[in-house]
Amino acid sequence: MTRLFRMAAFALLFSVSSLSLAEDTFTLRLAQTWGPNSPILGETVEHMAKMAETMSDGRLQIRIDPSNKHKAPFGIFDLVRNGQYDMGHTASYYYKGTIPNAMFFTTVPFGMIAPEQYAWFYHGEGMELMQKVYEPYGLLSFPGGNTGNQMGGWFRDEINSVDDLQGLKMRTPGFAGEVMSELGVAVTNIPPGELYSALERGTIDALEWVGPALDFNMGFHQIAKYYYSGWQEPGAEVQFLVNQKTWTSLPSDLQEILRVAMRTAAYDMYIQSTHESGVAWDRMKEDYPDVTHKTFPPEVIEALRGATNKLLKEAAEKDELAKEIINSQREYLRQVRQWTNISDKAYLDSVAGE
């Protein structure tokens, strides 16, 4: 009897332990805008999931679905909001048609560079204002990685004046797309996997994607030879979206683990982007000497700046929350840029040519 009792007790203990473990293990599904094996962007999500699993000792598992599986690269907002997925990795300016104020949290033309933007998110009002935008939709949004200063795009023909923008067919998303439209550009937004074929077939004349780190493997330089420095995305932040119900279902320790994993992965993406862009640009200059780096003429930059200010003013006049976000970014930039100017900018200016 004693032996049978011990065996029964052990079986019961094993059952209870297994049940507790099962109850304490959470598997979240994440949909991303990016396709399978997407460099940097997709790697960021994989790194985040791996960190969350390791730090939680396997209690938090994240299953990642690329865009070819869920078939909605620009539908991540709805997939997570509706509970079809627990999480998403995307860029908030893709959803400006549904929530116009979302676009301010990716980037603003002529705005903050990546370190300034991160400072605004975590030490200014950025996170608080972002949650004001997403909370009504049952979502939480977290910074999900920064590409750094993005290039202005690949152009088949040189841009020498504002007139050269008239009727130009270009892929450029977010607020920059609205600015370009103001100057006569026919703007379109095309999923990443379709960009090369659109440029090759002449569906578009120019496109803006990211920078050398991601552009080189896309092969745009084989078609368009003019590569312009940017103005439109001085610090482009992608995002992690989390369904609010999913978040509240997690124990507090797993919430913190997920928060840390997302923040760390975002930082890793920024430094990886810097590294990969340096490597890719060096290789591009070596292997494709016919690619010409250009900056937009002052006339074009001033026209773009004027259109940006006009649209920001209109947005602030139409919506109180937009006004609050725009004013917060402007005031923070006014303060932090003074430091950037006497530190990073002054350093680069003083060693120019070295």
Side-chain angles (χ1 to χ4, degrees):
M1 287 292 293
T2 304
R3 184 165 178 253
L4 286 174
F5 177 81
R6 286 175 179 171
M7 289 177 64
F10 178 81
L12 178 61
L13 179 61
F14 181 81
S15 304
V16 171
S17 298
S18 299
L19 180 62
S20 299
L21 181 62
E23 289 178 343
D24 202 26
T25 299
F26 295 80
T27 300
L28 310 184
R29 294 182 65 215
L30 182 149
Q32 62 181 17
T33 289
W34 339 113
N37 305 313
S38 178
I40 301 181
L41 293 163
E43 290 174 271
T44 296
V45 183
E46 292 170 4
H47 293 162
M48 183 277 296
K50 183 62 178 175
M51 280 189 283
E53 180 180 356
T54 301
M55 288 190 290
S56 67
D57 196 23
R59 291 170 55 219
L60 184 57
Q61 306 276 335
I62 298 171
R63 301 287 177 258
I64 303 162
D65 282 354
S67 59
N68 67 319
K69 183 164 185 179
H70 57 71
K71 309 295 185 185
F74 295 145
I76 308 302
F77 172 82
D78 286 326
L79 291 175
V80 180
R81 175 176 60 159
N82 296 332
Q84 293 165 267
Y85 283 85
D86 301 292
M87 299 181 65
H89 194 244
T90 185
S92 62
Y93 63 8
Y94 292 148
Y95 311 103
K96 66 185 182 70
T98 305
I99 41 173
N101 289 333
M103 64 183 174
F104 300 116
F105 300 103
T106 302
T107 189
V108 173
F110 303 101
M112 292 181 275
I113 60 174
E116 296 168 338
Q117 190 178 21
Y118 274 129
W120 176 69
F121 271 124
Y122 288 114
H123 298 281
E125 300 173 313
M127 292 296 291
E128 176 188 346
L129 290 169
M130 186 159 61
Q131 289 316 134
K132 272 192 179 183
V133 170
Y134 282 97
E135 187 175 14
Y137 301 93
L139 295 170
L140 298 173
S141 180
F142 299 87
N146 204 296
T147 64
N149 203 324
Q150 291 199 5
M151 293 295 284
W154 295 92
F155 292 75
R156 289 178 178 272
D157 299 311
E158 197 170 353
I159 303 299
N160 294 309
S161 69
V162 176
D163 289 341
D164 291 335
L165 297 176
Q166 295 295 316
L168 187 80
K169 295 175 292 185
M170 183 174 183
R171 182 271 182 192
T172 184
F175 199 84
E178 296 186 21
V179 173
M180 281 291 205
S181 293
E182 285 284 310
L183 300 185
V185 175
V187 172
T188 184
N189 194 13
I190 300 172
E194 301 172 21
L195 290 176
Y196 182 88
S197 59
L199 187 64
E200 183 181 40
R201 294 170 185 167
T203 305
I204 52 177
D205 306 308
L207 64 83
E208 172 265 314
W209 178 220
V210 178
L214 293 177
D215 292 7
F216 185 73
N217 289 335
M218 299 285 269
F220 305 135
H221 53 279
Q222 298 170 17
I223 304 168
K225 301 301 183 183
Y226 295 102
Y227 198 26
Y228 278 81
S229 285
W231 56 277
Q232 78 292 354
E233 298 192 32
E237 187 72 29
V238 293
Q239 68 176 157
F240 287 110
L241 283 176
V242 183
N243 184 284
Q244 178 71 58
K245 291 180 181 178
T246 296
W247 180 263
T248 54
S249 74
L250 295 174
S252 58
D253 66 322
L254 293 188
Q255 288 179 353
E256 190 60 24
I257 284 171
L258 183 56
R259 192 195 310 272
V260 170
M262 290 187 292
R263 185 165 176 172
T264 305
Y267 173 74
D268 286 348
M269 177 177 153
Y270 176 44
I271 56 176
Q272 184 184 5
S273 295
T274 301
H275 167 72
E276 297 290 351
S277 281
V279 170
W281 179 239
D282 187 59
R283 182 180 168 191
M284 196 178 297
K285 288 194 302 177
E286 179 87 18
D287 296 348
Y288 299 91
D290 55 336
V291 169
T292 303
H293 167 250
K294 303 285 291 184
T295 57
F296 291 108
E299 171 198 344
V300 173
I301 290 295
E302 286 311 304
L304 292 166
R305 190 190 302 275
T308 297
N309 291 336
K310 173 179 176 290
L311 291 172
L312 287 172
K313 183 174 182 292
E314 290 174 355
E317 289 172 347
K318 287 189 294 187
D319 185 278
E320 280 299 316
L321 184 51
K323 181 179 180 180
E324 187 178 0
I325 297 166
I326 292 166
N327 286 344
S328 175
Q329 289 183 331
R330 280 180 169 166
E331 178 55 28
Y332 197 85
L333 180 59
R334 181 201 63 76
Q335 182 184 65
V336 75
R337 183 57 57 85
Q338 297 178 79
W339 164 240
T340 302
N341 284 340
I342 68 166
S343 57
D344 292 351
K345 183 177 184 297
Y347 167 74
L348 293 172
D349 288 345
S350 68
V351 300
E354 293 185 11

